[in-house]
Amino acid sequence: MPIMIKGRAVNQEFIRKIKEISGEDIYKCMQCGTCAAACPMRDMMEISPTRAIHLIHFGLMNQVKASNTVWLCASCHTCESRCPRGLDLPKVMEAIRLLTLRENEDYVVPFEIKKEEIRDLPPIAMVAAFRKHTA
Ligand code: SF4
Ligand code: SF4
């Protein structure tokens, strides 16, 4: 029996895949907002970590995938250490990144990086970006 919200079936398959990859049950989240308050990247994220989970609860994963939130997550584990429900949010972020990359949707396109940026950015940052943001 699908979960219905406002007459629309929630995409359980995406949530099931997140759980399969991350081992985390996003329904543990009670939307307390602690992760968003503690996240050092929050000011640069288009959607807060708390809201990203909320949107996925409602089956609105395309809004999450279209935002920069999972890509800017630094996997610093601050949110996880403070979450009252013990949700490992960095693992969830990683799962969403993987599911997006598996659809060949790169967040960073190497050949579109400007020459000036290649010259100025530390090589280790470039390598890290390619590993995390390309399929
Ligand atoms: S801290 Fe945990 S329970 Fe609170 S909003 Fe974030 S993920 Fe959900
Ligand atoms: S792991 Fe990601 S979402 Fe969590 S506090 Fe760090 S940057 Fe924010």
Side-chain angles (χ1 to χ4, degrees):
M1 184 76 177
I3 296 174
M4 305 292 288
I5 294 177
K6 290 190 174 178
R8 207 166 51 84
V10 172
N11 183 346
Q12 290 290 300
E13 182 58 14
F14 192 79
I15 294 171
R16 189 192 64 74
K17 284 182 179 168
I18 289 176
K19 187 169 186 180
E20 185 181 290
I21 294 171
S22 68
E24 293 296 308
D25 179 3
I26 63 163
Y27 286 119
K28 283 199 301 191
C29 174
M30 62 180 185
Q31 290 290 293
C32 68
T34 303
C35 51
C39 176
M41 301 301 287
R42 169 63 190 102
D43 286 349
M44 282 165 276
M45 289 175 173
E46 290 160 349
I47 295 172
S48 78
T50 308
R51 182 153 175 76
I53 299 293
H54 193 50
L55 288 169
I56 296 170
H57 283 168
F58 280 80
L60 301 172
M61 50 286 302
N62 283 343
Q63 288 188 32
V64 178
K65 287 165 68 179
S67 76
N68 65 4
T69 299
V70 300
W71 307 102
L72 293 192
C73 170
S75 304
C76 68
H77 292 268
T78 305
C79 51
E80 181 210 350
S81 69
R82 300 191 186 179
C83 176
R85 300 303 301 269
L87 188 70
D88 192 330
L89 197 49
K91 279 188 182 169
V92 174
M93 296 283 189
E94 173 70 3
I96 298 170
R97 282 195 297 270
L98 286 175
L99 288 169
T100 306
L101 292 173
R102 283 179 188 177
E103 293 170 1
N104 282 330
E105 293 179 30
D106 289 345
Y107 186 67
V108 170
V109 180
F111 296 111
E112 290 180 2
I113 301 173
K114 294 182 185 138
K115 278 187 181 169
E116 310 84 67
E117 289 173 343
I118 293 174
R119 190 190 59 222
D120 294 344
L121 288 170
I124 190 73
M126 301 282 283
V127 172
F130 294 154
R131 290 181 68 180
K132 185 173 167 182
H133 294 159
T134 61

